[in-house]
Amino acid sequence: MDEKFAELYSEHIKQMKASAIREICNLIAKPEIISLAGGWPDPATFPVEEAREILADILDHHWQYALQYGTTEGLPALREFIAQWAKQHEHIDITADQILLTTGSTQGMDLAGKTLINPGDLICVGLPSYFIGAFTIYGAQVIGIPVDENGMQIDILETRLKELHEQHQRIKLVYIQPNFQNPTGATLAMERRTKIIQLADQYNFMIVEDNPYGDINFEGHALPALKALDRSERVIYLRSFSKVFSPGIRLAWVAGEAHVIRKMAIAKQYVDACSCTLSQYLMYEFCKRGYLERQIQKNILFYRAKRDFMLQALERYFPSGVRWNRPKGGFFIFVRLPEYLDAGEILEEAVANNVAFISGAPFYVDGTGCNTMRLSYAQSSNTEIEQAIRVIGQIIRQRLKP
Ligand SMILES: *Cc1c(COP(=O)(O)O)cnc(C)c1O
């Protein structure tokens, strides 16, 4: 289709493709559809009362600042709080000037891409992995590293690094979600965490560690963030308030080596000058009043019950021969069908029956994964989850070869 202004478009925008996942979400935004597709938090978890109280106070007492531009780095008091919080809860040794507040981690990733990627640079991501085009729009070439139930297979990463080294090539960065990865729900095993840090030093690459679900941890204990193991400041650590507070406030933070953060802040000046000031005041007061801890505990109970419910429904309605994981946190269960089944076709039939999920294929940079699907238990009620799993289970059963 010829577009009216096609000849005026930049080369840059021609590189950008709409996120397959967001497109599916648009497609299925009909009210009658039960959707296990979106990775969106349940609005029932949004701290509405606390937000109302805090926003009223801000508009009474701090409106001159909260409605004004702020510094690009972000509200100093909130960055100070985050530095303390990261020390206390995650044993991450950072100061406030190593923290940049961003307009969601989506922006943090983009700024990391802007700061580090030249056209042709090689990067690694999980196979599968949620992966918005943050690095490819700057010309990165993506290598997929297989993910199993213990996260990215770091021994395979090591083999690739060695091979490339012998060909005088190198990996610039690895994008990884160690906790409850989107889409597989997998958690990176401890020995893999220490190993990737060691490899980063040995082969001189950066790690972009994305940890949006870290707080939604069902098991009580957490493995250390890569950032906490990082002695040579190779890790750019992305944390978001989207899943723990609400995505609509568009607020996240990124921590890293001071010069890298400084470069990212300069890049941010060109993009939006500063993140939403009102959101920053809201979040700061939310933390200062001690609501964050309570909110985290509430979310854990809420999503754990939903995970358990979906697991039971899967046991009940999915035929044998279909495999899935038991996530220790986050929003997702990842289903592996027999190789000959196509989750895309199953999705079409499911949508015709008013049920939706995300087929796994868009998460595989190598074009495989057609027999996988991502189910989110985050956003639907138990009744809806049961209904959806029953419908999907039936469709799979009809397509199974005896
Ligand atoms: C939800 C999510 C985020 C958070 O993105 P925001 O821009 O902060 O809303 C980051 N990474 C992954 C993999 C996610 O699923």
Side-chain angles (χ1 to χ4, degrees):
M1 221 187 340
D2 264 0
E3 286 190 52
K4 195 170 165 191
F5 297 116
E7 60 171 329
L8 300 179
Y9 288 149
S10 70
E11 290 308 317
H12 203 67
I13 194 66
K14 290 180 197 159
Q15 300 295 317
M16 297 192 196
K17 291 193 195 72
S19 149
I21 294 145
R22 289 204 79 96
E23 293 290 298
I24 296 171
C25 292
N26 291 339
L27 212 86
I28 58 181
K30 292 188 282 179
E32 62 274 23
I33 287 213
I34 303 176
S35 174
L36 310 180
W40 294 16
D42 191 320
T45 64
F46 296 163
V48 180
E49 289 312 315
E50 292 88 337
R52 194 195 314 277
E53 164 201 309
I54 292 169
L55 286 171
D57 287 350
I58 290 172
L59 293 175
D60 283 342
H61 304 295
H62 307 289
W63 54 272
Q64 304 95 317
Y65 311 105
L67 299 178
Q68 187 58 280
Y69 286 117
T71 62
T72 301
E73 288 76 8
L75 187 65
L78 179 55
R79 286 154 64 220
E80 205 58 65
F81 180 92
I82 290 168
Q84 289 302 323
W85 190 92
K87 209 166 274 164
Q88 206 182 344
H89 290 79
E90 302 195 81
H91 308 291
I92 292 173
D93 196 14
I94 38 168
T95 55
D97 59 353
Q98 290 174 278
I99 293 171
L100 173 67
L101 294 173
T102 57
T103 305
S105 287
T106 305
Q107 183 179 61
M109 265 182 264
D110 178 64
L111 298 176
K114 272 200 171 77
T115 303
L116 297 170
I117 299 299
N118 287 319
D121 281 348
L122 297 177
I123 69 164
C124 290
V125 307
L127 200 63
S129 171
Y130 167 90
F131 175 62
I132 54 135
F135 307 113
T136 47
I137 57 165
Y138 299 108
Q141 307 238 21
V142 186
I143 298 173
I145 305 294
V147 170
D148 65 17
E149 59 279 11
N150 292 312
M152 187 185 280
Q153 293 182 254
I154 303 301
D155 53 335
I156 297 181
L157 173 66
E158 184 172 21
T159 308
R160 295 308 301 270
L161 287 163
K162 261 190 206 140
E163 287 166 5
L164 287 164
H165 184 73
E166 279 156 18
Q167 300 159 18
H168 307 288
Q169 281 189 294
R170 58 175 297 201
I171 300 284
K172 186 66 115 11
L173 69 82
V174 175
Y175 168 75
I176 188 167
Q177 304 163 45
N179 297 322
F180 333 127
Q181 191 231 25
N182 181 359
T184 64
T187 299
L188 190 69
M190 187 58 213
E191 63 277 12
R192 295 186 185 183
R193 294 182 188 232
T194 44
K195 183 73 186 176
I196 190 174
I197 292 291
Q198 181 224 312
L199 289 174
D201 276 338
Q202 189 181 340
Y203 289 95
N204 190 25
F205 60 84
M206 299 293 280
I207 297 172
V208 175
E209 177 181 24
D210 189 12
N211 189 16
Y213 301 101
D215 299 314
I216 308 171
N217 178 348
F218 306 142
E219 306 271 304
H221 70 93
L223 292 173
L226 302 182
K227 187 73 205 154
L229 303 170
D230 175 26
R231 295 284 159 266
S232 41
E233 300 196 285
R234 290 182 175 280
V235 177
I236 296 176
Y237 186 49
L238 298 167
R239 276 296 230 144
S240 175
F241 294 113
S242 285
K243 309 292 155 54
V244 68
F245 184 101
S246 100
I249 64 168
R250 303 311 297 130
L251 195 63
W253 53 275
V254 50
E257 196 266 341
H259 295 88
V260 176
I261 290 297
R262 173 76 188 136
K263 292 272 189 260
M264 289 173 68
I266 292 169
K268 182 176 164 67
Q269 290 172 8
Y270 289 82
V271 181
D272 63 359
C274 67
S275 297
C276 172
T277 321
L278 185 58
S279 292
Q280 296 180 52
Y281 272 84
L282 170 59
M283 203 61 220
Y284 172 60
E285 284 297 324
F286 190 78
C287 295
K288 197 174 98 182
R289 294 179 192 196
Y291 296 159
L292 181 64
E293 207 51 50
R294 201 174 69 188
Q295 176 73 7
I296 291 172
Q297 294 311 320
K298 265 170 41 183
N299 281 350
I300 290 172
L301 294 179
F302 183 88
Y303 290 115
R304 187 201 278 145
K306 295 233 222 184
R307 174 203 61 179
D308 292 343
F309 190 87
M310 186 179 273
L311 285 170
Q312 282 167 18
L314 287 166
E315 287 292 346
R316 193 151 153 215
Y317 295 111
F318 270 32
S320 57
V322 177
R323 293 179 300 129
W324 58 86
N325 64 313
R326 184 175 191 281
K328 295 177 178 145
F331 286 0
F332 306 113
I333 293 175
F334 198 65
V335 176
R336 291 170 200 272
L337 304 165
E339 292 278 343
Y340 62 86
L341 286 182
D342 184 330
E345 289 172 13
I346 292 168
L347 174 61
E348 268 178 42
E349 193 173 338
V351 170
N353 288 283
N354 286 334
V355 169
F357 57 88
I358 298 267
S359 58
F363 297 101
Y364 287 79
V365 291
D366 68 348
T368 61
C370 294
N371 64 320
T372 63
M373 49 210 258
R374 187 191 78 177
L375 307 178
S376 165
Y377 45 81
Q379 234 193 324
S380 309
S381 70
N382 285 354
T383 321
E384 290 169 333
I385 289 175
E386 174 156 16
Q387 162 76 358
I389 296 296
R390 194 168 54 74
V391 167
I392 301 167
Q394 226 159 29
I395 298 170
I396 296 171
R397 202 179 298 274
Q398 283 159 2
R399 288 163 183 259
L400 277 181
K401 288 183 187 154

